[in-house]
Amino acid sequence: MSLNKTLLLQQLLLGFVILAAIFIAAAEPNSSCVTTCGSLYIPYPFGTSHGCYLDPSFLITCNSSSGTPTPFLNKTEVRNISLDGELRVSAPVARDCPYESGYNPNNSITVLHRQRFPISSKKNKFTIIGCDTIGVIESISISENNYTSGCVSLCDSVDSVVNGTCSGAGCCQTSIPQGLNHFAAALTSLYNYSKVFNFNPCGFGFVVEEEAYNFSSLDLRKLQGQDVVPLVLDWAVGNQTCEDAKKNTTGYACKAANSECQNSINGPGYRCHCSSGYEGNPYLSNGCQDIDECKTSNPCVEKACINHVGYFDCSCPKGYEGDGRRDGTRCSPKPSNSRTIIITLGITISLLALLLGGSSLLLGLKRRKLVRLKEKFFQQNGGLMLQRQISNRGRSMETTKIFSADELKKATNNYDESKVLGKGGYGTVYKGLLPNNKVVAIKKSKICDQNQIEQFINEVIVLTQVNHRNVVKLLGCCLETEVPLLVYEFITNGTLSDHIHDESRASLLSLEKRMKIAVETAKALAYLHAEISMPIIHRDVKSTNILLDDNHTAKVADFGASRLVALDQTQITTLVQGTLGYLDPEYFHTSQLTEKSDVYSFGVVLAELLTGEKAISYFRPENYKNLAMYFVSAVKEDRLIQILEDHIVNDSNIEVLKEVASFATRCLRVRGEDRPSMTEVAMELKGLRTTMEKHPWGKDNQNEEEMVYLLSTPTYSFRIDMGMGSTNATIGQDSISQNLPLKPLDDGR
């Protein structure tokens, strides 16, 4: 490159630098700019003359025609300018004074027009003063959406207004929207102030800085001579966002090195402010200066304050720790090692004590809640009623016991699954061991009808008085659970169904033993029907509800479906309950329950005793047959020998078997009135058994008692046809039996 070209390039670069310096200088005020007008300080970007303001919208005119210099911004008096983006000005007041001379309704309209700076929606309120005044404000916002609003101010007297409150009595206020930069206010009245003229001859309306105006009842008269009120405007630079403005570095208004930009929230443009730790005018090149907090605000606890550019530090004396700031963690002594250990140990012990105390409290609350719940269930289940009955009956109720929930929970090892004797539709039966080593059967039902609590208590009282060697004894109950628990004596040798439907066990049941079981069962039912003060109809007599002890003594069990019968009643109408296959057909069709219903069910059991294992085939679903119907048919057609249990039949007992079978058919008659009573059944069977024992073939083989038999008990499914369709059912272990392999209880429980 030649020397001439080099000199030319240097001159061009120098020219650009000079032009840039001139442009920057023009963008900031010079030292000759006037920065005050009267008592008002005028910071840049505002100014009073050319070259002293950012653009013409920031021109402040200082008018001295009144003798006192007064600043104006486009004909609006300026009261204060804040670099935070607020401009406080004087706004006119709209007046409505119909009784003043020369009154013109249009005089009530005032207009404030500021195209550049919008009215602050956060700092101002549209306000109406008067006791007969309606005010409306109307304008077009920056977003070019029409805006109209207003409020009504009414009152009857000066005494009805409250100073300092604009609630609608003498004074009302309403908010204004963002982006509003010009408005018109109009006033009118309902009664032309005629009713309130003596204390409020005029109405007034204005937009005012909310914090600067405090309503007084004195304002009702001439607004105490005020013609203008303070109003806050939001000002910003340009019409760009910070992001767009920064792209033009020469036109960007935030000149200070330690300044930041913030977008306007009320209209277009942006504002500048000094960064944290700095103060001053961010619109000037060197406008933001470091704040020496150590001198201005005493921010440190100790005197050790160190100022830095934009921030400061505090320090703590030796042996102390923390940030040393008054608004921070301050200074605290450093703990020694031993002190640290003591503090740590103390905190640990405190937390442990708190944990233990909280656990004890929770445990106590839980225990108290459980006690209250038990008391609630006890009363809900008729416990107080049962206690009164026991107390009133005295010694006659000594055998009745009310067990606690904890007693039975402990007896069943918290109702462990291994203690389950059987399950059914009505609940579960557990084997339990009481503290006196007495083994019991505990029945835990699923549901309880609260409407029948009184009847339940009466049943418990009566059943505990039942005392017959062939009836399972009810020992007591527990009422502290949601559903009452019943406690029975425990019978060791399973159900009759277990024995007659298991090949190994059935072979041990001779005809004499079967007749003994039949007689004992009949005696038990006859006792329930006729020998107690309140007769009981069992309603669910079946082989699974007849238990056997080690001597094959029969025990009638499970009164889950039983009902007490008053002495003057012959029948009870109720829902059909019981087990299909054993169910009285007359009861099934009419719902009329009598003691003859138990007679029919017993007849089925008697047929089952005679047919034994062969009875199973008449309960199977595929046969669609009913044992009772089939048994009666076989007797009538002289086919009895074909359906009897093989090992109980021999040439010498055929006639007795026929007599027993014939009597069973009498129990199975369709009409209840044609059946014998349970007392007659017991007497008849007892006579037949006596007849058998007089013959040599009626005696048992003495060695049969010593035979070992299996304890496993199969479960049999069957279907019964009662002329109304077939129904599935299950023969299984009863609720009160020995601890044999678990089988489902029948739904009739």
Side-chain angles (χ1 to χ4, degrees):
M1 183 181 294
S2 64
L3 181 60
N4 291 335
K5 290 182 179 180
T6 301
L7 292 174
L8 179 60
L9 182 58
Q10 290 176 348
Q11 290 175 353
L12 288 173
L13 290 173
L14 180 60
F16 281 125
V17 172
I18 294 172
L19 288 174
I22 293 172
F23 187 87
I24 293 173
E28 294 191 6
N30 55 52
S31 58
S32 62
C33 289
V34 177
T35 57
T36 60
C37 179
S39 60
L40 177 68
Y41 173 70
I42 305 172
Y44 186 80
F46 292 90
T48 58
S49 59
H50 182 70
C52 297
Y53 48 77
L54 182 63
D55 62 55
S57 62
F58 290 92
L59 173 62
I60 300 295
T61 302
C62 194
N63 190 333
S64 302
S65 60
S66 62
T68 301
T70 305
F72 287 90
L73 180 68
N74 192 21
K75 299 181 181 180
T76 300
E77 181 183 352
V78 180
R79 297 189 176 198
N80 182 54
I81 300 173
S82 169
L83 288 173
D84 291 332
E86 292 183 353
L87 187 68
R88 192 165 283 99
V89 300
S90 295
V93 175
R95 301 166 58 88
D96 183 29
C97 299
Y99 296 101
E100 289 185 351
S101 60
Y103 168 72
N104 185 339
N106 292 331
N107 290 337
S108 66
I109 299 175
T110 182
V111 176
L112 177 69
H113 188 78
R114 286 294 311 156
Q115 291 186 346
R116 183 65 182 85
F117 304 138
I119 301 168
S120 174
S121 60
K122 292 184 177 180
K123 296 294 184 73
N124 303 293
K125 293 281 187 181
F126 177 55
T127 305
I128 298 299
I129 304 298
C131 284
D132 184 20
T133 308
I134 302 173
V136 177
I137 181 172
E138 183 175 11
S139 184
I140 300 176
S141 65
I142 290 176
S143 60
E144 298 184 356
N145 292 323
N146 291 330
Y147 163 72
T148 302
S149 184
C151 65
V152 178
S153 176
L154 302 173
C155 54
D156 296 329
S157 66
V158 177
D159 297 333
S160 64
V161 303
V162 180
N163 290 334
T165 302
C166 282
S167 59
C171 174
C172 68
Q173 287 184 327
T174 185
S175 300
I176 60 175
Q178 287 188 351
L180 187 69
N181 55 10
H182 54 87
F183 69 88
L187 303 177
T188 186
S189 64
L190 295 175
Y191 303 104
N192 218 26
Y193 300 96
S194 59
K195 296 183 178 181
V196 295
F197 177 79
N198 60 333
F199 66 90
N200 177 221
C202 300
F204 308 94
F206 44 85
V207 178
V208 64
E209 181 182 4
E210 187 175 14
E211 293 184 358
Y213 177 71
N214 189 32
F215 170 68
S216 170
S217 60
L218 299 175
D219 294 340
L220 295 174
R221 184 176 295 279
K222 303 295 185 179
L223 199 62
Q224 301 187 63
Q226 295 184 73
D227 293 323
V228 293
V229 291
L231 175 72
V232 178
L233 305 178
D234 289 330
W235 63 267
V237 175
N239 57 8
Q240 296 178 302
T241 63
C242 291
E243 292 75 15
D244 293 334
K246 289 177 181 178
K247 296 176 183 178
N248 182 5
T249 55
T250 57
Y252 184 48
C254 302
K255 298 298 183 183
N258 298 298
S259 64
E260 297 175 1
C261 182
Q262 183 180 29
N263 290 322
S264 172
I265 59 173
N266 189 11
Y270 63 93
R271 294 196 298 269
C272 306
H273 61 88
C274 292
S275 302
S276 177
Y278 295 85
E279 62 183 359
N281 191 332
Y283 299 96
L284 300 176
S285 297
N286 296 315
C288 292
Q289 301 296 320
D290 173 57
I291 302 173
D292 190 348
E293 292 88 354
C294 296
K295 293 182 179 179
T296 59
S297 60
N298 190 25
C300 299
V301 178
E302 301 292 331
K303 294 182 179 180
C305 180
I306 304 172
N307 184 64
H308 302 280
V309 178
Y311 68 99
F312 66 95
D313 278 332
C314 298
S315 60
C316 293
K318 186 177 180 180
Y320 287 78
E321 60 184 4
D323 60 13
R325 299 171 64 127
R326 294 185 185 277
D327 59 353
T329 61
R330 306 173 75 88
C331 294
S332 58
K334 291 182 179 179
S336 61
N337 291 336
S338 58
R339 186 176 178 184
T340 302
I341 294 173
I342 294 173
I343 292 174
T344 304
L345 185 61
I347 293 174
T348 303
I349 294 174
S350 299
L351 290 175
L352 185 60
L354 184 62
L355 181 62
L356 292 175
S359 300
S360 300
L361 180 62
L362 289 175
L363 189 61
L365 291 174
K366 186 176 181 180
R367 189 180 295 112
R368 193 175 307 158
K369 182 179 179 182
L370 184 60
V371 170
R372 287 199 298 267
L373 189 61
K374 287 180 180 179
E375 291 175 352
K376 173 189 171 184
F377 288 147
F378 186 81
Q379 295 182 18
Q380 179 178 291
N381 292 327
L384 298 179
M385 187 189 310
L386 183 58
Q387 285 181 334
R388 284 197 299 270
Q389 293 279 9
I390 293 173
S391 176
N392 293 337
R393 292 172 182 262
R395 295 185 59 83
S396 64
M397 291 289 288
E398 285 182 358
T399 57
T400 303
K401 180 173 181 181
I402 301 178
F403 294 89
S404 70
D406 291 335
E407 279 183 285
L408 300 189
K409 187 175 180 181
K410 185 177 181 181
T412 57
N413 194 20
N414 195 20
Y415 300 100
D416 189 89
E417 282 294 319
S418 64
K419 300 292 184 180
V420 174
L421 296 175
K423 292 183 178 180
Y426 288 96
T428 305
V429 178
Y430 296 86
K431 181 179 180 180
L433 182 64
L434 298 179
N436 60 359
N437 291 324
K438 183 178 180 63
V439 181
V440 294
I442 300 168
K443 187 168 185 178
K444 188 176 185 181
S445 300
K446 291 181 180 178
I447 57 174
C448 178
D449 188 351
Q450 292 300 317
N451 296 323
Q452 296 184 357
I453 288 299
E454 185 174 355
Q455 182 179 356
F456 166 77
I457 294 300
N458 288 333
E459 287 192 28
V460 170
I461 293 170
V462 172
L463 291 177
T464 52
Q465 300 308 299
V466 172
N467 188 15
H468 193 279
R469 69 185 300 269
N470 298 119
V471 177
V472 174
K473 179 69 175 175
L474 177 66
L475 304 178
C477 61
C478 173
L479 306 176
E480 293 181 348
T481 54
E482 185 174 6
V483 178
L485 304 175
L486 298 176
V487 181
Y488 295 90
E489 66 172 318
F490 180 74
I491 309 302
T492 57
N493 207 11
T495 70
L496 175 61
S497 177
D498 296 335
H499 287 264
I500 62 179
H501 296 302
D502 179 84
E503 185 176 354
S504 61
R505 294 188 180 188
S507 62
L508 300 178
L509 286 181
S510 63
L511 178 59
E512 198 281 336
K513 285 185 178 179
R514 294 176 188 241
M515 288 298 296
K516 172 178 175 289
I517 292 170
V519 170
E520 290 174 343
T521 303
K523 285 182 178 180
L525 293 174
Y527 169 79
L528 294 176
H529 286 185
E531 297 184 33
I532 59 176
S533 60
M534 183 72 74
I536 297 175
I537 297 176
H538 190 290
R539 297 206 313 172
D540 199 19
V541 177
K542 56 186 177 181
S543 60
T544 53
N545 281 343
I546 300 171
L547 308 182
L548 301 178
D549 64 11
D550 292 333
N551 296 319
H552 291 96
T553 300
K555 300 276 189 177
V556 176
D558 202 338
F559 297 88
S562 66
R563 286 293 180 269
L564 305 179
V565 181
L567 292 176
D568 59 348
Q569 287 183 295
T570 59
Q571 58 187 26
I572 294 178
T573 301
T574 180
L575 294 177
V576 175
Q577 295 187 34
T579 303
L580 294 178
Y582 298 89
L583 192 63
D584 177 5
E586 185 176 64
Y587 171 43
F588 185 84
H589 290 292
T590 66
S591 296
Q592 301 300 313
L593 177 68
T594 69
E595 65 174 16
K596 298 299 183 71
S597 299
D598 284 352
V599 174
Y600 181 89
S601 300
F602 175 79
V604 178
V605 173
L606 188 55
E608 203 174 349
L609 273 167
L610 296 176
T611 56
E613 185 67 18
K614 291 184 179 181
I616 297 176
S617 62
Y618 304 110
F619 284 98
R620 286 177 181 166
E622 63 268 19
N623 286 341
Y624 297 98
K625 294 180 180 178
N626 176 272
L627 175 62
M629 296 172 62
Y630 193 79
F631 185 84
V632 172
S633 176
V635 172
K636 288 182 178 180
E637 297 172 6
D638 199 21
R639 293 185 291 104
L640 178 64
I641 304 302
Q642 300 174 16
I643 67 170
L644 291 177
E645 179 75 76
D646 292 336
H647 80 273
I648 67 170
V649 180
N650 55 54
D651 293 339
S652 60
N653 65 8
I654 291 296
E655 294 305 318
V656 175
L657 283 172
K658 286 182 178 181
E659 288 188 48
V660 175
S662 177
F663 182 73
T665 61
R666 290 177 56 195
C667 297
L668 295 174
R669 287 174 179 170
V670 175
R671 294 176 54 186
E673 61 186 23
D674 295 335
R675 303 169 199 155
S677 68
M678 209 66 237
T679 302
E680 293 172 335
V681 171
M683 293 177 63
E684 182 75 19
L685 289 178
K686 183 179 178 181
L688 289 172
R689 182 188 176 200
T690 302
T691 301
M692 284 176 50
E693 290 176 345
K694 291 179 180 179
H695 294 79
W697 40 259
K699 297 180 181 179
D700 284 342
N701 185 345
Q702 300 300 319
N703 293 328
E704 287 180 349
E705 296 292 337
E706 299 176 359
M707 294 180 67
V708 179
Y709 52 87
L710 299 176
L711 295 179
S712 59
T713 308
T715 300
Y716 304 98
S717 297
F718 55 88
R719 181 181 297 269
I720 304 166
D721 190 347
M722 293 295 295
M724 297 180 65
S726 55
T727 303
N728 290 329
T730 301
I731 295 179
Q733 186 171 353
D734 187 75
S735 58
I736 308 171
S737 62
Q738 73 179 85
N739 194 359
L740 297 175
L742 179 62
K743 304 180 186 66
L745 290 174
D746 192 273
D747 288 342
R749 301 293 165 89

